[in-house]
Amino acid sequence: MGELQFFLGLQIKQGPKGTLVHQAKYTRDILKKFDMGDSKPMTTPMSTNTALDADEDGKAVDQKEFRGMIGSLLYLTATRPDIQFAVYLCARYQASPRTSHRQAAKRIFRYLKSTPELGLWYSSGSSLFHRGFSDADHAGCRIDRKSTSGTCQLLGTSLVSWSSRKQASVSLSTTEAEYIAAASCCSQLLWMKATLSDFGLRFGKIPLLVDSTSAISVAKNPVLHSRTKHIDVRFHFLGDHYEKGDIDLVHVASENQLADILTKPLEFGAFVRLRGYRLKVLTMHSSRGRLRANGPASLLSLMRHNVPIFTA
């Protein structure tokens, strides 16, 4: 049938240096569908000043149209982790959408207007090492004050799995929120480790990078568990797997925390740096300019930024 180029709305561009998976055609189609093709482009999907809530006093909007917008954007998150948080935040208000919610959704479309060609870049020259990042935005939801967990898992320099979701329970501290997010990331890493073992790939301790030293201390020191009984017992399996040697909890500076983009709106500089250089959400044109940086040179670049590098 020839080289794969299009599959279920995903466009695939393959080259000797790697593969780009994007949804440029689908992006343009939904911009046209919701009359956003001539809208003013935006540089980020959500303003750092945005704080959505139920807005019960706001004017109600067409529920069918709003749900259609959110559904279309949800499918786009398959290759666009940069809009994941913004889309899922808007999706919380589908039951009773207001003008403020529709404006937030429209901003995402305006961001897509300026970045339709972006997609996930998978380098063929990257070393195969497994690692994860986890972060949390404590009490970020203005309605119930639940925290938002952000996790992402990488093979080499390629992003293969990510998540942005509101936590099921209210966290009483930043430490608890970060700990729960790390436990969720640990669960995904262990599942991926078991799956990759079926392909003959074996990994030792998988690094899990967290920017909270207190959350790491709770997982590493069982004595501290007596002070954290309010944390659900099921999340303490993070410490168990650390003791077993399945994962290695490592501290990472907040500016190098990849999962930060999945927990809250970021200012333009930080957003673009995480989106492009770190998560490899690129265009084919920009990926060509970074081909040499996707191999050993990229590892050196990460080391210069004080990000621990591990090999399987």
Side-chain angles (χ1 to χ4, degrees):
M1 297 176 64
E3 187 178 87
L4 178 64
Q5 295 182 346
F6 192 85
F7 179 73
L8 294 178
L10 303 180
Q11 293 171 256
I12 297 93
K13 292 184 178 180
Q14 302 180 53
K17 298 296 184 179
T19 301
L20 180 73
V21 182
H22 66 100
Q23 293 171 278
K25 182 181 182 302
Y26 177 78
T27 300
R28 294 190 178 94
D29 287 344
I30 62 175
L31 285 170
K32 182 179 179 180
K33 176 181 178 181
F34 294 103
D35 298 323
M36 298 295 293
D38 297 325
S39 60
K40 181 181 178 181
M42 300 297 291
T43 56
T44 59
M46 183 167 284
S47 169
T48 54
N49 298 324
T50 301
L52 291 182
D53 55 23
D55 193 14
E56 295 179 354
D57 295 330
K59 181 180 179 181
V61 298
D62 185 2
Q63 188 181 86
K64 182 178 180 181
E65 178 195 26
F66 185 76
R67 288 186 173 183
M69 296 172 72
I70 297 302
S72 298
L73 291 171
L74 285 173
Y75 190 70
L76 189 57
T77 59
T79 59
R80 297 293 298 268
D82 52 324
I83 66 171
Q84 180 99 8
F85 171 76
V87 173
Y88 275 72
L89 181 59
C90 292
R92 298 173 187 175
Y93 305 101
Q94 293 183 82
S96 182
R98 306 293 176 173
T99 301
S100 59
H101 306 144
R102 185 172 62 179
Q103 289 176 344
K106 283 189 173 182
R107 173 163 178 138
I108 303 174
F109 280 94
R110 293 169 66 185
Y111 167 70
L112 295 174
K113 177 70 165 53
S114 65
T115 58
E117 300 285 346
L118 287 180
L120 287 173
W121 172 253
Y122 296 99
S123 171
S124 60
S126 174
S127 299
L128 193 61
F129 57 95
H130 193 192
R131 58 178 176 160
F133 291 80
S134 75
D135 195 21
D137 179 32
H138 180 234
C141 182
R142 297 186 63 183
I143 298 177
D144 52 20
R145 286 305 176 186
K146 292 181 179 178
S147 304
T148 299
S149 294
T151 66
C152 54
Q153 295 77 32
L154 296 89
L155 280 177
T157 59
S158 301
L159 180 67
V160 294
S161 177
W162 61 93
S163 171
S164 175
R165 64 180 60 184
K166 188 164 66 171
Q167 294 179 1
S169 58
V170 177
S171 299
L172 300 181
S173 65
T174 301
T175 298
E176 182 180 350
E178 295 277 1
Y179 190 85
I180 292 174
S184 177
C185 186
C186 174
S187 177
Q188 181 70 3
L189 287 172
L190 294 176
W191 178 84
M192 292 177 63
K193 181 179 181 180
T195 302
L196 291 169
S197 66
D198 294 337
F199 295 90
L201 298 174
R202 299 290 184 268
F203 296 91
K205 283 187 177 182
I206 302 175
L208 172 52
L209 286 78
V210 184
D211 60 5
S212 171
T213 55
S214 55
I216 294 175
S217 298
V218 170
K220 287 185 175 182
N221 188 357
V223 176
L224 295 176
H225 285 187
S226 60
R227 303 179 184 178
T228 56
K229 290 183 179 179
H230 58 280
I231 299 179
D232 197 315
V233 175
R234 66 192 179 98
F235 293 116
H236 281 304
F237 88 101
L238 175 65
D240 293 336
H241 284 288
Y242 170 77
E243 292 180 358
K244 293 177 182 178
D246 293 328
I247 62 168
D248 186 19
L249 293 166
V250 182
H251 180 259
V252 62
S254 296
E255 60 267 21
N256 293 320
Q257 176 56 268
L258 273 64
D260 200 26
I261 200 173
L262 298 168
T263 61
K264 56 183 175 291
L266 299 177
E267 57 90 18
F268 176 71
F271 179 81
V272 171
R273 178 174 57 83
L274 290 177
R275 180 192 70 187
Y277 178 69
R278 306 306 302 280
L279 293 178
K280 294 294 185 294
V281 180
L282 308 168
T283 64
M284 180 57 78
H285 175 73
S286 60
S287 64
R288 290 194 186 101
R290 295 169 179 261
L291 289 180
R292 293 187 179 181
N294 284 334
S298 67
L299 303 184
L300 294 176
S301 298
L302 291 174
M303 292 173 67
R304 293 191 192 103
H305 286 79
N306 298 320
V307 178
I309 300 300
F310 301 84
T311 56

